[in-house]
Amino acid sequence: EAALRLSGVAKTYNPGSPGEVRVLQGIDLTVNPGEVVALVAPSGAGKSTLLHICGLLDTPDSGTVAIGGQDMTGQPEGRRTAVRRQEVGFVYQFHHLLPEFTAAENVILPQLANGTPRAAAEARAAELLGLVGVAPRARHRPAALSGGEQQRVAFCRAMANAPRLLLADEPTGNLDPETADQVFGALMTLVRTTGMAALIATHNLELAARMDRVLRLNQGKLDP
Ligand code: ADP
Ligand code: ADP
């Protein structure tokens, strides 16, 4: 069963008006469990729109989006939100960690919100932070961490509730090349250890080449 499957997805902003923008046309894509797929796109190609549709933050005009084999087309917003919370983790270029909480607490809180008992949430946070090498920094607030450490904590937070699918938008875009390399290595460790699927948008062609597959988005279409 695919972690993510899009079929014939199309999206146009402001249809029929002078400001019409045809962003996505006929997008078919599949990401299988355990697969790390790169999404490479020039600016303005529709990358953010595509990631938002994959993460159920936006709806296509036509076509279908299925997460873990569940077709989300036409599902009510409450159901989409529940599936998003349970099945999808997001990472952005900037970490968006809660500044007043420690690294560990940033990974624990989403689990508590999801109903996980505190002891289990703490154990999982410690395990995830250990996997990416920031266990010694667990009691520090984000401001006390380096950029690479902050982003590794952001990955752990995104994976806190064991989502089926990780969506990342330029997760290393704000880091120097060496740190980006380390952070990417940590991400691969997390994904390989948990067996989750990941779709990672990046401008870094070197990192893209190290993923399992590269998808290229050009003018709203995926290159065959
Ligand atoms: P990318 O992330 O690849 O830069 P986006 O998905 O953000 O691309 O945007 C693709 C195109 O759609 C761009 O031309 C952008 O200006 C346009 N666009 C994005 N969001 C909107 C919106 N809400 N209304 C109108 N046009 C939009
Ligand atoms: P980088 O060069 O990788 O961005 P920094 O030079 O910012 O890293 O930090 C080096 C080390 O010092 C890191 O382990 C970081 O967590 C730690 N560190 C940086 N600032 C603080 C701080 N204000 N309090 C505690 N530790 C810090």
Side-chain angles (χ1 to χ4, degrees):
E1 195 151 59
L4 171 70
R5 190 190 298 277
L6 268 59
S7 301
V9 161
K11 180 80 178 179
T12 298
Y13 290 115
N14 310 318
S17 87
E20 175 175 291
V21 189
R22 295 179 66 182
V23 189
L24 300 175
Q25 297 162 57
I27 300 284
D28 298 324
L29 76 84
T30 301
V31 184
N32 289 309
E35 220 185 2
V36 180
V37 177
L39 177 65
V40 174
S43 183
K47 176 199 68 176
S48 302
T49 303
L50 181 58
L51 285 176
H52 285 158
I53 288 173
C54 291
L56 308 179
L57 292 165
D58 197 355
T59 48
D61 302 328
S62 55
T64 60
V65 179
I67 308 256
Q70 307 174 75
D71 183 359
M72 300 309 297
T73 314
Q75 294 287 329
E77 198 46 46
R79 171 92 182 117
R80 291 166 54 83
T81 301
V83 170
R84 182 193 315 129
R85 288 206 181 123
Q86 197 63 53
E87 309 276 17
V88 187
F90 293 94
V91 179
Y92 299 96
Q93 182 170 1
F94 298 98
H95 58 77
H96 300 302
L97 296 169
L98 299 172
E100 68 273 34
F101 291 98
T102 66
E105 285 164 340
N106 268 279
V107 184
I108 290 167
L109 288 172
Q111 298 180 74
L112 299 182
N114 198 40
T116 306
R118 177 165 273 278
E122 286 176 357
R124 178 159 175 85
E127 184 198 347
L128 290 171
L129 293 168
L131 277 173
V132 299
V134 285
R137 317 292 301 163
R139 291 168 174 281
H140 292 265
R141 292 184 184 185
L145 305 180
S146 72
E149 289 170 335
Q150 290 168 347
Q151 209 56 341
R152 282 183 271 166
V153 175
F155 287 137
C156 294
R157 180 185 53 183
M159 322 233 346
N161 289 321
R164 190 187 294 270
L165 174 68
L166 182 78
L167 297 174
D169 194 352
E170 294 286 352
T172 62
N174 188 38
L175 304 172
D176 63 75
E178 193 184 327
T179 307
D181 203 72
Q182 287 166 4
V183 166
F184 179 71
L187 173 61
M188 291 301 269
T189 300
L190 277 177
V191 172
R192 298 296 188 220
T193 306
T194 58
M196 75 185 313
L199 180 62
I200 303 173
T202 183
H203 287 304
N204 187 327
L205 298 181
E206 212 172 296
L207 291 188
R210 285 162 59 190
M211 300 188 207
D212 297 322
R213 207 145 53 80
V214 180
L215 300 176
R216 286 192 176 71
L217 183 68
N218 273 314
Q219 301 184 338
K221 292 181 180 165
L222 287 177
D223 286 355

